[in-house]
Amino acid sequence: MTSPSNRGAPVSTEPRINDRIRVPEVRLVGPNGEQVGIVRIEDALRLAQESDLDLVEVAAQARPPVCKLMDYGKFKYESAQKARESRRNQQLTVIKEQKLRPKIDPHDYLTKKGHVARFLSHGNKVKVTIMFRGREQSRPELGYRLLQRLAEDVAELGFVESNPKQDGRNMIMVLAPHKTTKTRPIRHDSGEHDIVEDDDASAESVEE
């Protein structure tokens, strides 16, 4: 029966080791992965002590449980190192959105292109949206040509990941940075709002 002091305590994910393994017998695996076979728990603990190793339960649901002889402290340290390295290498993707009109003013175009170039240089993807209004909807080629022009103007920094496609009154294209572009740390002091995702990021967006 659980004591009052243990109620609400988090369930431990640590495997049972040494004297905490309380079963009559275990299926023992040696330090190099060799199968020793089913042995009494007393014999397994004795072998662990003689080898200056720990007896670690690696498959508690098996019948009998599977235990392995290992240096548990070293194992935990190496596992923590691998986990940190994995998190360090995880690629984060920030998707920005830049909106343009099909008949954009030349000066406005340069400004918007500058934003797109900056986003790509920071390692972010960019969702470029052309917004059509009124009769402009009958001239989708204007938006297509504008998106092609923008892609060519920033080709040194990124490439077209998703070709232009019509989406209601909008036309959308997604640009992605070249692989050589490193993702910089995400900052929030510029007033921009970021969407942070894993490598398989969906097309969520941020308006500049």
Side-chain angles (χ1 to χ4, degrees), residues 40-206:
R40 296 188 308 160
I41 187 64
E42 295 85 358
D43 295 333
L45 289 170
R46 178 178 52 79
L47 287 172
Q49 188 173 17
E50 290 176 353
S51 304
D52 197 24
L53 295 171
D54 298 299
L55 182 67
V56 182
E57 189 178 56
V58 295
Q61 302 304 318
R63 290 292 178 267
V66 180
C67 294
K68 184 176 181 180
L69 296 173
M70 69 171 74
D71 183 337
Y72 188 58
K74 181 180 178 181
F75 171 76
K76 285 188 66 175
Y77 174 77
E78 291 177 347
S79 297
Q81 289 288 90
K82 289 178 181 178
R84 279 195 293 270
E85 188 66 22
S86 177
R87 288 193 297 269
R88 188 180 301 116
N89 293 334
Q90 183 181 20
Q91 181 73 26
L92 295 181
T93 301
V94 177
I95 301 182
K96 301 283 192 173
E97 179 175 25
Q98 189 63 69
K99 294 183 177 181
L100 296 81
R101 294 293 306 281
K103 297 180 179 179
I104 189 170
D105 176 84
H107 181 268
D108 287 342
Y109 173 79
L110 290 176
T111 300
K112 301 284 188 178
K113 182 183 74 174
H115 292 327
V116 173
R118 176 165 56 88
F119 295 152
L120 291 172
S121 68
H122 285 197
N124 304 324
K125 292 185 180 182
V126 186
K127 175 184 174 184
V128 185
T129 302
I130 303 293
M131 302 180 297
F132 296 95
R133 294 179 183 174
R135 295 181 180 178
E136 292 175 347
Q137 296 180 60
S138 64
R139 300 289 304 280
E141 69 276 6
L142 295 178
Y144 185 79
R145 285 200 295 265
L146 182 58
L147 291 176
Q148 281 189 314
R149 175 188 172 189
L150 179 61
E152 292 172 0
D153 287 346
V154 298
E156 291 185 0
L157 297 170
F159 63 95
V160 177
E161 182 180 72
S162 178
N163 289 316
K165 63 181 179 180
Q166 196 78 25
D167 182 16
R169 296 185 178 184
N170 300 327
M171 182 175 288
I172 296 170
M173 175 181 73
V174 178
L175 297 170
H178 293 304
K179 294 296 184 181
T180 53
T181 303
K182 296 294 182 69
T183 302
R184 298 184 182 179
I186 303 164
R187 299 177 59 187
H188 294 279
D189 55 359
S190 61
E192 295 175 356
H193 176 61
D194 299 332
I195 299 295
V196 183
E197 302 176 349
D198 293 331
D199 284 334
D200 57 350
S202 59
E204 294 187 72
S205 60
V206 176

